[in-house]
Amino acid sequence: MIILVRHGEATHHTEHLTGGWTDSELTAAGKVQLQAVASKLAKDFAGQSRDLRILTSDLKRAEESARIIAARLGISKLEPYEFLREKNNGQAAGLTETAAKALYQQPPTLKELHHRNYPGGETRQEFYDRNVQGLIKCADLERENLLIVAHKGTIQNIIFHWLGLDIAAVNVLNFSVDILPSSVTVLGINKWREHAVFRLNDTSHLHTDSGYGIFEFKYGKYH
């Protein structure tokens, strides 16, 4: 089982800074969003004795989000990793969106995999490889229960990999998924040994008091 949580609203959203490796923090609203996530996850995990690793991007907005969830679930250990960061925006990190425009290097097309939008930044291919290769080295995706707190692009890359798509295939298929702030996505192996997406971009915690139904899905025997 893999639970993917995007960090909540962050100061780069409200202060009109670039995202990427800008080390922004949660806003007051972002903290409320993550408390709602944590409360709903706690309903799912109540009475469960399953081991759960919490992995997080080491950027402040993600680590802070992960700490909120971990505290509510009674888990003391967090595992922060640089490989879970958002796409590296190089020299644009920390700049306003207006200032970053002066550094932006327009790609020839919207389908470039080896283009750097900003000096010192990553290409789309490098970003995907960093996320996926780091995660494969760090965890057994099919046998461990993981809660990963990260960023929109990172979560998208993990989902693509889970579906068996490398970034070139994603490009050819013209495929994407939306991942909103504080959203929850649940992946797992089902009883037919298939890679399943049980929930995608779920923000129902902002509207209801029930759990996500995480343990109602038809997982295989490892979960």
Side-chain angles (χ1 to χ4, degrees):
M1 173 183 68
I2 305 171
I3 305 168
L4 302 170
V5 180
R6 184 181 173 188
H7 63 80
E9 180 188 78
T11 52
H12 75 271
H13 295 137
T14 58
E15 296 174 7
H16 304 290
L17 304 176
T18 59
W21 283 26
T22 298
D23 204 6
S24 57
E25 301 178 353
L26 291 182
T27 64
K31 293 175 183 178
V32 170
Q33 291 171 346
L34 263 294
Q35 290 289 356
V37 172
S39 178
K40 197 161 183 175
L41 284 171
K43 295 178 187 297
D44 282 315
F45 280 89
Q48 295 287 336
S49 59
R50 307 184 188 217
D51 291 334
L52 179 69
R53 292 175 64 191
I54 299 183
L55 283 54
T56 179
S57 158
D58 65 352
L59 293 176
K60 291 176 184 176
R61 58 191 184 272
E63 270 204 75
E64 189 173 3
S65 297
R67 283 197 300 271
I68 291 171
I69 294 171
R72 189 61 184 269
L73 297 183
I75 296 174
S76 58
K77 183 180 179 182
L78 291 182
E79 301 179 46
Y81 293 104
E82 184 175 312
F83 73 78
L84 288 172
R85 289 185 181 188
E86 182 59 277
K87 186 180 180 185
N88 185 355
N89 54 348
Q91 293 178 19
L95 299 182
T96 65
E97 293 172 349
T98 300
K101 287 181 180 179
L103 297 176
Y104 184 69
Q105 300 172 353
Q106 183 73 35
T109 73
L110 295 177
K111 293 298 182 181
E112 303 301 317
L113 295 181
H114 305 288
H115 176 81
R116 300 183 197 282
N117 291 336
Y118 298 102
E122 286 177 306
T123 68
R124 195 175 178 200
Q125 182 71 61
E126 289 168 343
F127 177 37
Y128 177 89
D129 290 344
R130 168 168 60 82
N131 288 162
V132 171
Q133 292 172 10
L135 190 55
I136 289 172
K137 291 178 183 178
C138 175
D140 187 334
L141 302 186
E142 293 197 357
R143 292 176 180 267
E144 291 189 276
N145 294 314
L146 307 171
L147 194 155
I148 301 173
V149 183
H151 311 269
K152 179 179 180 177
T154 305
I155 291 172
Q156 288 173 327
N157 284 339
I158 294 170
I159 293 170
F160 298 153
H161 172 69
W162 186 252
L163 294 175
L165 301 172
D166 61 23
I167 199 62
V170 171
N171 205 23
V172 169
L173 292 170
N174 200 35
F175 174 73
S176 190
V177 292
D178 198 14
I179 303 295
L180 295 171
S182 86
S183 65
V184 174
T185 294
V186 183
L187 313 176
I189 302 291
N190 65 22
K191 65 180 182 180
W192 298 283
R193 303 301 300 153
E194 298 165 332
H195 281 207
V197 179
F198 293 114
R199 290 221 182 279
L200 177 64
N201 195 33
D202 190 332
T203 57
S204 60
H205 48 274
L206 303 179
H207 313 289
T208 71
D209 294 328
S210 60
Y212 294 103
I214 286 171
F215 297 104
E216 297 173 10
F217 305 129
K218 296 179 180 179
Y219 296 107
K221 62 181 181 179
Y222 296 115
H223 299 88

